[in-house]
Amino acid sequence: MSTHTIPDSDTLHREILASHERCRQYGVDPLITCNFEQVHLNSEALTLRRKQNKDFLEVATGQLQELYQVIATAGFVASITDNEGYILHTIGDPLILEKLATGNGIPGYRWTEKDVGTSAIGMALASETPIQINDEEHFCKRGYGHTCSASPVFDDEKRFIGIIAISGEASKVHPHTLGMVITAASAIENQIRITKTSKELLLRNNYMNAILESIDSGVMAVDRNGIITQLNSHGKKILKWDEDLEGKPLSTLFGPQNDWKQAMYNGFGYIDREIFIKGTHKEVPLIITAKPIFDSERQVQGIIFVFHEIKRIRRLVNKMAGSQARFTFEDIMGVSLKIQESKKLAILAAAGNSNVLILGETGTGKELFAQAIHNQSKRKHNPFVAINCGAIPRELLESELFGYIEGAFTGAKRGGRPGKLELASGGTVLLDEIGDMPIDMQIKLLRVLQTGEVSRIGQHKPILINFRIIAATHFNLKQEVANRNFREDLFYRLNVLPIIIPPLRERPDDIVLLAKHILNRCCQVLNKPEVSFSSESEQILESYHWPGNVRELENVVERAVNLVNGNVIEPELFGILTLRKNRTAFREHREALLDEVERQTITEIIQEMGFNISRASKVLGITRSTLYKKIKKHNISICRQSV
């Protein structure tokens, strides 16, 4: 039998007879008018039952209240039971309810066939089908003179959850009464499904809101008319908008940029597009991904935008690309007075925000100092971007520094690309070998330092940036300014805090110390056992003039570690000079070795100074006449120029 179908008279009659037989088997007394031993709940247990059936009871009560409005004047009472037959709630005239109380027809009492014999509620419990019985069809006399119509109620998963019933005087029986009860039961089931669906949607919505609020991306929903419908908290922080944006058109943020309209019309979104939006106080650059939302007919109904601050993306890119400073002042080794003075100046520079100019020969560790300054500054958590101005081709240097927009020139990357100055915003830029920067680029760099803005190639809209410049060079920039190879105004912009890194030959006390430090590091990297220098090796290291400075020392020590077979490094493994192993022969050769070192040093300095004897003598710290004597002694060929 269908759960929502009125049973025919023959079927109903058979069901009633079957119920009577069960009642006789249960030992129910047909003459009883009130079962004083009827199972019932105390007030606490009844409260618990109602709580357990809260959803069903709320919906059923509402539906029966509406039904009762139709039958109120007919003297009927509506009841709600759970799936075990316990009455949870009754609706009716107070006088009628008071009369029912004498027969235990009130909340808390159980109405099964075992408790009250054949009744509409008991039969509906047993068969889980709609039932209507009248007058003497009841098994017990307590039901004579009454009619009752009952229908089971099932949840969305077809589980039996309870019964609703309407009872009254037998003279008022009508087949339509059961129809109304069945209709009410069906309405209750539908409402339960709707309520559950609504709760599930609310829960999903709460989950979605929790997800949106927990992610560190800005998320914004826009309807098909371009109206902002939702914006998460992180998105509000990124946009820095004073007013509530929900309910406002997207053009409030995007201005004339219409990429979102194309996504709305053609249904194709985009990924990681750079867009400038109108902030309250300034333009905010964002990286945005747009995802269209479709309905069941594949029509676009809105767009979800996921966006990040571009500086956050740049920090991530810089981190992944290795644009981070690794060295600190603890990595700067040396006990000599000169290196300690340079280190002291660098520590002072790190505490401020002024531009720094690091001067020193190639291989002295200028970038090491630059990284240490950055790592002890307030910018240490932001990018450190090193740019070798001498290694980048002249025609590429501008795009490398300033970036470009799409279509700026032939071969420009689609979507454009930010320059390294822009990527370094918030951090530090090392302009290594700045003495090699072309004059025209010096002018553009000076403009950036003066305005704090950078414009990509092909773009007229400037981008605000904030970084610290550390410049480094092996050139004498003052001389380069005098020779008009370097702009004087840029020199003074950079030369706020000059730091001179001494060459290795001027810090002999540090040579062996550095060599041993490098030796330990190389042994670990190359998985070599503990290795040490012989005394002769240390003497060689100290006496060599090291034109390549610390970088050359690193190469020499690494070479020796690769070649050594035992635990001691001898001089011949350095590859600096070919020496005999015999120590006596080495001592005899020492004077010739020093002469050779002197000859090489003088030759290199004269060449570096462009064969200017006056400048070379100053660099060597000797007089011109002494230099000429040594040139003659070592038979050094020079191109004589007027001095």
Side-chain angles (χ1 to χ4, degrees):
M1 185 187 302
S2 172
T3 57
H4 291 153
T5 302
I6 298 176
D8 60 73
S9 58
D10 291 340
T11 300
L12 183 58
H13 182 67
R14 287 195 299 271
E15 290 290 337
I16 293 173
L17 292 178
S19 175
H20 285 190
E21 180 59 30
R22 289 194 296 271
C23 291
R24 282 190 286 269
Q25 292 177 2
Y26 294 147
V28 177
D29 184 359
L31 301 177
I32 195 170
T33 57
C34 181
N35 183 4
F36 295 103
E37 296 180 358
Q38 187 173 345
V39 178
H40 66 281
L41 306 171
N42 59 32
S43 59
E44 292 181 358
L46 177 60
T47 300
L48 179 60
R49 286 268 172 164
R50 286 171 170 169
K51 185 176 181 180
Q52 292 170 341
N53 293 271
K54 179 175 179 293
D55 293 342
F56 164 56
L57 192 57
E58 286 181 352
V59 175
T61 300
Q63 287 291 335
L64 288 189
Q65 286 282 9
E66 294 183 9
L67 178 60
Y68 183 72
Q69 298 302 318
V70 178
I71 61 175
T73 58
F76 283 94
V77 172
S79 302
I80 303 171
T81 79
D82 65 8
N83 59 359
E84 293 183 17
Y86 287 99
I87 297 176
L88 301 178
H89 186 65
T90 55
I91 304 171
D93 183 274
L95 293 176
I96 301 176
L97 293 177
E98 185 177 342
K99 183 178 180 181
L100 283 177
T102 61
N104 299 337
I106 57 175
Y109 280 88
R110 191 179 70 177
W111 274 62
T112 65
E113 290 177 336
K114 290 182 179 181
D115 297 302
V116 296
T118 301
S119 69
I121 293 177
M123 289 183 64
L125 281 169
S127 64
E128 296 185 1
T129 58
I131 295 292
Q132 184 182 62
I133 64 175
N134 186 53
D135 200 13
E136 295 181 0
E137 291 174 339
H138 290 87
F139 184 76
C140 299
K141 287 187 176 182
R142 66 184 296 171
Y144 289 3
H146 294 87
T147 183
C148 185
S149 302
S151 177
V153 179
F154 300 85
D155 64 12
D156 59 309
E157 296 181 6
K158 303 301 181 182
R159 292 176 301 194
F160 174 53
I161 58 174
I163 291 174
I164 61 169
I166 292 179
S167 57
E169 294 180 2
S171 60
K172 298 179 180 179
V173 64
H174 196 288
H176 292 329
T177 306
L178 181 58
M180 289 190 296
V181 172
I182 292 174
T183 301
S186 179
I188 291 170
E189 291 175 354
N190 290 334
Q191 186 61 44
I192 287 175
R193 283 193 291 271
I194 293 171
T195 301
K196 183 179 179 181
T197 302
S198 297
K199 289 183 176 180
E200 288 176 348
L201 289 175
L202 179 61
L203 182 60
R204 290 181 183 179
N205 187 56
N206 290 339
Y207 268 112
M208 185 61 65
N209 286 332
I211 292 171
L212 292 179
E213 293 300 324
S214 64
I215 61 177
D216 60 350
S217 303
V219 181
M220 178 170 60
V222 177
D223 67 17
R224 63 181 301 171
N225 297 315
I227 303 300
I228 300 170
T229 59
Q230 191 171 3
L231 178 64
N232 70 344
S233 298
H234 196 74
K236 294 176 182 177
K237 291 180 182 178
I238 293 175
L239 298 177
K240 300 180 179 66
W241 202 272
D242 294 339
E243 303 174 7
D244 188 0
L245 283 168
E246 294 180 4
K248 294 185 180 297
L250 194 58
S251 57
T252 305
L253 288 174
F254 283 7
Q257 300 173 100
N258 293 322
D259 291 356
W260 67 273
K261 291 184 178 180
Q262 296 178 9
M264 189 76 76
Y265 294 145
N266 59 32
F268 295 103
Y270 47 81
I271 299 174
D272 294 339
R273 184 167 295 181
E274 186 178 12
I275 292 179
F276 290 82
I277 65 159
K278 298 188 296 183
T280 305
H281 306 292
K282 63 179 181 180
E283 286 193 326
V284 181
L286 301 176
I287 295 294
I288 290 187
T289 294
K291 179 70 176 179
I293 304 300
F294 300 93
D295 60 17
S296 59
E297 298 179 356
R298 296 294 299 171
Q299 298 296 312
V300 179
Q301 297 299 320
I303 298 178
I304 296 294
F305 292 98
V306 180
F307 54 91
H308 302 87
E309 288 182 281
I310 198 167
K311 62 182 181 182
R312 176 179 180 272
I313 301 298
R314 289 170 183 166
R315 282 198 299 268
L316 180 61
V317 170
N318 285 325
K319 184 176 181 179
M320 299 299 292
S323 301
Q324 298 290 316
R326 296 180 292 113
F327 299 110
T328 66
F329 285 113
E330 294 179 357
D331 297 306
I332 300 176
M333 308 290 293
V335 295
S336 64
L337 181 61
K338 286 191 174 182
I339 197 66
Q340 289 297 322
E341 285 295 324
S342 299
K343 189 173 178 180
K344 182 178 179 181
L345 284 174
I347 292 173
L348 291 174
N353 197 41
S354 300
N355 294 332
V356 178
L357 179 61
I358 302 177
L359 303 170
E361 296 178 7
T362 300
T364 52
K366 295 187 290 296
E367 183 167 350
L368 174 64
F369 268 80
Q371 290 194 23
I373 291 171
H374 172 80
N375 273 334
Q376 193 155 315
S377 71
K378 295 179 180 179
R379 299 175 180 268
K380 62 184 177 182
H381 298 300
N382 293 316
F384 175 87
V385 178
I387 304 169
N388 192 321
C389 302
I392 302 173
R394 179 191 184 100
E395 59 273 12
L396 298 180
L397 185 58
E398 183 176 6
S399 63
E400 192 75 11
L401 288 176
F402 304 114
Y404 54 83
I405 64 172
E406 183 176 342
F409 51 83
T410 302
K413 185 179 178 181
R414 184 176 181 182
R417 196 180 75 173
K420 288 193 172 181
L421 296 181
E422 189 178 337
L423 290 173
S425 186
T428 303
V429 174
L430 170 61
L431 295 176
D432 200 7
E433 301 301 345
I434 195 169
D436 292 321
M437 180 177 283
I439 289 291
D440 59 332
M441 289 302 301
Q442 294 178 29
I443 297 172
K444 294 179 179 180
L445 176 62
L446 181 63
R447 172 72 178 171
V448 172
L449 297 179
Q450 289 172 337
T451 63
E453 297 177 340
V454 63
S455 295
R456 297 182 186 178
I457 299 174
Q459 184 180 50
H460 302 294
K461 184 188 301 180
I463 302 170
L464 286 173
I465 54 175
N466 172 26
F467 57 77
R468 184 187 197 181
I469 287 284
I470 298 179
T473 182
H474 69 280
F475 283 105
N476 183 334
L477 285 190
K478 283 188 177 180
Q479 187 63 47
E480 293 300 303
V481 169
N483 295 338
R484 297 187 178 181
N485 292 326
F486 201 84
R487 288 186 62 91
E488 184 176 17
D489 44 7
L490 179 58
F491 171 71
Y492 288 120
R493 278 274 180 182
L494 299 175
N495 194 40
V496 180
L497 292 171
I499 300 172
I500 299 175
I501 312 299
L504 192 55
R505 63 180 174 274
E506 294 181 6
R507 38 188 294 213
D509 294 342
D510 297 334
I511 294 175
V512 174
L513 176 67
L514 284 168
K516 289 182 177 179
H517 175 73
I518 297 167
L519 176 63
N520 291 333
R521 188 180 65 203
C522 288
C523 287
Q524 291 178 2
V525 172
L526 298 174
N527 197 25
K528 289 273 187 174
E530 187 173 338
V531 178
S532 61
F533 297 114
S534 68
S535 58
E536 290 179 358
S537 294
E538 291 183 3
Q539 291 174 1
I540 285 289
L541 294 174
E542 287 180 336
S543 61
Y544 184 60
H545 67 297
W546 299 110
N549 294 295
V550 179
R551 188 175 299 149
E552 183 183 6
L553 177 62
E554 289 177 335
N555 294 339
V556 167
V557 174
E558 185 176 350
R559 178 182 187 274
V561 174
N562 276 284
L563 297 177
V564 68
N565 287 324
N567 295 327
V568 180
I569 294 177
E570 297 294 347
E572 58 266 26
L573 296 179
F574 291 144
I576 303 173
L577 292 171
T578 303
L579 299 173
R580 289 175 295 178
K581 294 183 179 179
N582 187 280
R583 294 188 179 186
T584 303
F586 170 72
R587 286 194 294 269
E588 294 174 353
H589 187 73
R590 184 179 300 169
E591 185 175 349
L593 175 63
L594 293 175
D595 284 344
E596 175 63 18
V597 170
E598 184 178 67
R599 189 191 69 79
Q600 289 185 11
T601 301
I602 291 174
T603 300
E604 290 176 1
I605 295 301
I606 289 175
Q607 290 175 353
E608 288 181 8
M609 296 298 106
F611 298 96
N612 187 319
I613 302 303
S614 295
R615 293 173 61 188
S617 63
K618 290 180 181 179
V619 171
L620 291 167
I622 58 178
T623 63
R624 288 175 57 193
S625 59
T626 301
L627 179 56
Y628 276 119
K629 288 178 182 178
K630 291 184 179 293
I631 290 172
K632 184 177 181 180
K633 173 185 175 182
H634 297 298
N635 194 25
I636 298 173
S637 176
I638 63 172
C639 180
R640 298 181 181 276
Q641 299 179 1
S642 59
V643 294

